[in-house]
Amino acid sequence: MKKTTSTPVIAATLFLSSASATLAASVDQCFDFTPMSSVSTYLGAQLDYSVADRICCHNHKFAEYRGYLAAPEVDFFGRLDPSVETVFYDSVCGVPLFIAPRGRTFDEFKTESLKHGWPSFRPEEMISENVIIHNDGRMESVCKTHLGHNLPTGGVDRYCIDLVCMAGEPLSADDERNQILQYLQQDQTIIDATELNTTAYTSSAEPYSGKTSN
């Protein structure tokens, strides 16, 4: 007996093929998407969405202003639970980027970040499958979201990251941005929010990559 394929399955396959072709042809940041709307109220803060859109998706060089994380309307560290590790997600596609603090105390994470003016992460805190460090130290996610720069301190990589670009959340099942993840999963290993086991996860990031913006 000849097998038949239902119309919904054919339609879904054609849609994914079309979406993949569109994404493959895109050379623009964020695969032509914009930061998710929830960025503006991340952790109950008031983040400037226009800054997120400009810095994360239309820029490779500039950053939110130094000290933005400590602005009264932001108060980044005041909104985190110091007793647990927090997972930080891409503001465009929702993939996990960093788990912190890991291998240090919350106060050490906070002190270093406030000293430099941006959230600062170390290699063991990176979800290495989802983050790219370019030779010039520029950093972006697998979703082509600009993240910041690598500025090693004390002989160890230190990732200086724009808060507005790591203020995302896991995608809902019906979010059209899932087509980015489906496209990426065809050719490379990424870890989406549903696959991350924070207890078992170990980053493969090098302590010192030699890729620096210093």
Side-chain angles (χ1 to χ4, degrees):
M1 179 180 291
K2 183 179 180 180
K3 292 183 179 180
T4 59
T5 304
S6 66
T7 299
V9 171
I10 294 175
T13 301
L14 290 174
F15 171 76
L16 289 176
S17 297
S18 175
S20 293
T22 300
L23 291 172
S26 174
V27 295
D28 293 333
Q29 285 182 266
C30 303
F31 287 108
D32 294 321
F33 282 84
T34 56
M36 52 186 73
S37 59
S38 60
V39 166
S40 62
T41 55
Y42 178 61
L43 297 177
Q46 298 176 36
L47 302 187
D48 189 326
Y49 185 85
S50 65
V51 171
D53 185 41
R54 184 176 77 253
I55 297 299
C56 308
C57 296
H58 300 91
N59 159 73
H60 286 307
K61 181 179 179 180
F62 299 105
E64 65 201 20
Y65 71 79
R66 181 175 185 174
Y68 184 61
L69 77 171
E73 72 277 13
V74 178
D75 186 25
F76 175 58
F77 282 101
R79 300 176 189 278
L80 298 179
D81 183 344
S83 67
V84 300
E85 294 180 333
T86 299
V87 180
F88 301 97
Y89 299 91
D90 187 289
S91 291
V92 175
C93 69
V95 296
L97 302 172
F98 303 98
I99 310 171
R102 177 160 284 192
R104 56 178 174 170
T105 67
F106 180 85
D107 284 342
E108 288 170 334
F109 172 38
K110 176 180 178 179
T111 297
E112 180 170 67
S113 298
L114 293 176
K115 174 183 176 181
H116 295 285
W118 291 270
S120 294
F121 299 93
R122 293 294 183 160
E124 61 191 298
E125 296 171 324
M126 179 203 286
I127 309 298
S128 49
E129 293 82 355
N130 295 345
V131 178
I132 300 165
I133 308 177
H134 294 280
N135 288 334
D136 62 357
R138 179 173 64 84
M139 299 180 65
E140 66 180 357
S141 76
V142 290
C143 302
K144 297 187 179 182
T145 306
H146 175 76
L147 298 178
H149 294 84
N150 181 30
L151 302 168
T153 301
V156 179
D157 281 0
R158 178 180 63 82
Y159 316 128
C160 189
I161 305 300
D162 289 290
L163 174 59
V164 293
C165 303
M166 47 165 261
E169 60 187 18
L171 299 179
S172 60
D174 60 349
D175 195 311
E176 64 177 346
R177 298 161 193 272
N178 280 301
Q179 64 186 275
I180 300 176
L181 306 186
Q182 292 164 349
Y183 167 68
L184 291 172
Q185 288 166 338
Q186 294 179 79
D187 300 311
Q188 58 185 290
T189 301
I190 66 170
I191 296 180
D192 68 28
T194 63
E195 298 168 328
L196 179 64
N197 180 334
T198 57
T199 302
Y201 182 77
T202 300
S203 177
S204 62
E206 301 174 278
Y208 181 73
S209 64
K211 301 173 181 179
T212 172
S213 297
N214 281 354

